[in-house]
Amino acid sequence: MSIRIAIIAGTRPEFIKLAPLIKLIVEDRQFNLILIHSGQHYDRNLSLKFFEDLDLPNPAINIEVGSGTHAYQIGFLVQEIEKIILETEPDIILSQGDTNTVLASSLATRKLNKCFLHLEAGIRSFDKKMPEEVNRIVTGICSMYHFAPTERAGLNLLFEGVDRESIFIVGNTIVDSVLQTRELSETKSKIFKKLNIKNNLPIILITLHRPANVDIRENVKKFIETIKSLNNFQFIFPIHPRTKKNLINFKLYNKLENLENVIITEPLGYLDFYSIFSKSLCVLTDSGGIQEEALILRVPCITLRNNTERPETLEYGSSVLVGMDMNKLKSEIFKIKTNSEYLKGKSTKNPFGDGKTSERIIQIIKELYNKNLLNLDQSKLWSRIPNRNLIEVEHLKEPITVINYEIANRVKIQMLFNVKGAPCFPYDHKLIRNQYKLLLNSN
Ligand code: UD1
Ligand code: UDP
């Protein structure tokens, strides 16, 4: 019996982060893939180029939702995805990230009582004005299983009341993508020649597309003035269509185009983008994925946001938040210029994983399938009344693993707090010690 899996994706970062998983699924005879493109991104250099660069199979279906208001995109996609699920009858539906495509996929699936798997689950910026934050939370509610990239993301889900047994901390597939792209980019990309980039000035890569930044004229104006003043650097700015459209409307596009120290390009394919990124002094960005990639590539990241759903990048020391404060931005660039180790992060373990996240996900899906746990009717996860209470551990002669504690005491541990009161994810093999507090979920 093969597992019929529908993967729904629609934007640039989703193609990039799903590519390693899709490739494994295509090669694995236990899976039968239905690849669905929502059409949220439709320009060649935001969509087709990534299928070529990442060697992805053609989607079986393209919904072609196109652009529009959030209500339009989500409403149209929910209706179309419902039809597709009913027609193609997948066992499971999977999406990655936090776009309108992902929200619509999870909602349509949930309403049909089918099994939705969410990749990159549980990350939170705690900024509900950010459209993606609402998408993440609602998708979390609609998902049956959550593949969280980090322990912190897993904890966010636990604090929202998500059942621990439905959460798997697996890392982020972005590490798989970056590691698989390195060699290809070196051999295939000719972007330095194409853009006539001279290496005599340090390169600073820019990407901007968040509505909170680029939908506000004043923000873009001061940003352009700031980079104009930094004439000892070579800026390279692949412009997202949303940003370009706004710059034209704000009558600022020509101003940017005329700057001598800036090369403006259309959005780049992954191999070309990677080639410039890996050789840059630093990156200025409001992108989510680029914060992660900067950490992996050891390229300092100046994040033009006031918050981030990737706080691991701040803790690791590979990124700094400057918002739209242009003085801070300049000061960070000079710190990077004068100190070659600044914002390169720790050399310890990468918080986003080891490049084997896709393999882990495949393994978990197979195990769930073999135990018949992908079937909503069979799973108890959706209909349990939680009976929660907090206890303090005492009288242990020696530390005991979570799994052994659960078996011995016939309880389920939802969360645990260590002696300092810090919340920890109750991995099966985590050791429990005296004075730990356990939030039990016994039903
Ligand atoms: C979307 C996601 C965002 C993600 C980003 C990745 C949501 C709410 N937003 O933002 O989370 O970080 O993708 O890049 O899902 N446009 C084109 N060509 C295209 C696509 C869009 O010109 O192929 C233009 C349209 O004018 C559109 C605007 O870009 O109005 C914004 O597109 P949209 O898909 O709404 O959001 P993004 O800003 O791309
Ligand atoms: N990217 C790219 N070409 C570009 C700009 C970005 O290939 O011109 C890649 C980048 O390496 C990262 C992803 O696109 O993997 C990030 O996409 P984006 O910033 O649009 O979305 P976000 O991650 O913010 O959701």
Side-chain angles (χ1 to χ4, degrees), residues 149-151 169-171 175 295-296 298 312-313 315-318 344-355 357 360 427:
T150 60
E151 176 167 8
I169 298 173
V170 289
V175 186
L295 181 152
I296 303 162
R298 301 200 82 222
E312 294 84 358
T313 60
E315 291 155 1
Y316 194 78
S318 58
K344 290 221 166 150
K346 301 173 192 162
S347 56
T348 49
K349 208 171 127 199
N350 171 353
F352 297 119
D354 54 3
T357 294
R360 272 194 283 279
Y427 296 98

Side-chain angles (χ1 to χ4, degrees), residues 289-300:
I290 291 173
Q291 292 171 58
E292 296 157 351
E293 287 167 332
L295 181 152
I296 303 162
L297 295 173
R298 301 200 82 222
V299 174

Side-chain angles (χ1 to χ4, degrees), residues 67 86 104 164 201 211 234 254 303 337 368:
S67 301
L86 291 172
R164 197 252 296 178
L201 289 178
Q234 173 66 70
N254 286 347
T303 306
K337 177 90 194 305
L368 290 170

Side-chain angles (χ1 to χ4, degrees), residues 53-271:
D53 276 7
L54 300 161
D55 203 15
L56 287 172
N58 288 333
I61 301 166
N62 189 327
I63 301 174
E64 295 183 357
V65 62
S67 301
T69 63
H70 289 241
Y72 158 72
Q73 275 184 334
I74 295 163
F76 186 80
L77 284 173
V78 171
Q79 294 181 52
E80 294 304 306
I81 291 168
E82 179 183 63
K83 284 184 215 156
I84 294 169
I85 295 175
L86 291 172
E87 273 163 26
T88 58
E89 296 185 342
D91 298 307
I92 47 179
I93 292 92
L94 177 150
S95 292
Q96 186 283 338
D98 52 21
T99 63
N100 288 345
T101 296
V102 180
L103 168 61
S105 307
S106 68
L107 199 51
T109 309
R110 181 81 276 279
K111 291 290 180 182
L112 289 171
N113 273 343
K114 295 279 248 174
C115 174
F116 185 80
L117 311 182
H118 186 208
L119 259 66
E120 208 179 67
I123 66 172
R124 298 287 181 266
S125 66
F126 299 94
D127 174 3
K128 291 209 180 76
K129 280 194 285 184
M130 194 181 180
E132 293 81 358
E133 182 70 358
V134 178
N135 292 350
R136 291 177 197 121
I137 295 169
V138 180
T139 299
I141 291 167
C142 298
S143 305
M144 190 163 172
Y145 293 103
H146 313 255
F147 292 99
T150 60
E151 176 167 8
R152 184 187 285 272
L155 282 170
N156 287 337
L157 290 166
L158 292 180
F159 276 114
E160 287 174 14
V162 174
D163 203 310
R164 197 252 296 178
E165 286 168 89
S166 68
I167 304 169
F168 300 95
I169 298 173
V170 289
N172 195 315
T173 54
I174 191 66
V175 186
D176 312 18
S177 299
V178 169
L179 297 183
Q180 291 171 22
T181 303
R182 188 173 286 166
E183 227 178 277
L184 262 184
S185 160
E186 286 304 321
T187 50
K188 285 201 165 171
S189 173
K190 308 271 178 287
I191 194 68
F192 274 77
K193 215 168 169 187
K194 190 170 165 205
L195 294 180
N196 196 17
I197 305 170
K198 306 215 169 52
N199 272 331
N200 46 356
L201 289 178
I203 294 170
I204 299 187
L205 182 60
I206 304 174
T207 82
L208 279 183
H209 74 284
R210 296 264 160 244
N213 284 338
V214 303
D215 289 4
I216 300 169
R217 186 176 196 277
E218 203 41 46
N219 278 342
V220 210
K221 186 165 173 267
K222 68 182 181 190
F223 182 74
I224 296 175
E225 279 157 10
T226 306
I227 56 173
K228 182 181 178 187
S229 69
L230 294 163
N231 50 17
N232 287 332
F233 300 93
Q234 173 66 70
F235 291 92
I236 303 181
F237 191 176
I239 293 203
H240 190 283
R242 170 182 213 107
T243 312
K244 182 169 180 179
K245 204 165 103 181
N246 287 350
L247 281 166
I248 293 170
N249 285 343
F250 296 153
K251 304 211 179 335
L252 289 170
Y253 190 71
N254 286 347
K255 196 171 172 176
L256 178 68
E257 216 177 20
N258 291 334
L259 297 185
E260 280 183 5
N261 59 341
V262 183
I263 297 174
I264 301 174
T265 82
E266 292 297 303
L268 296 171
Y270 199 44
L271 304 185

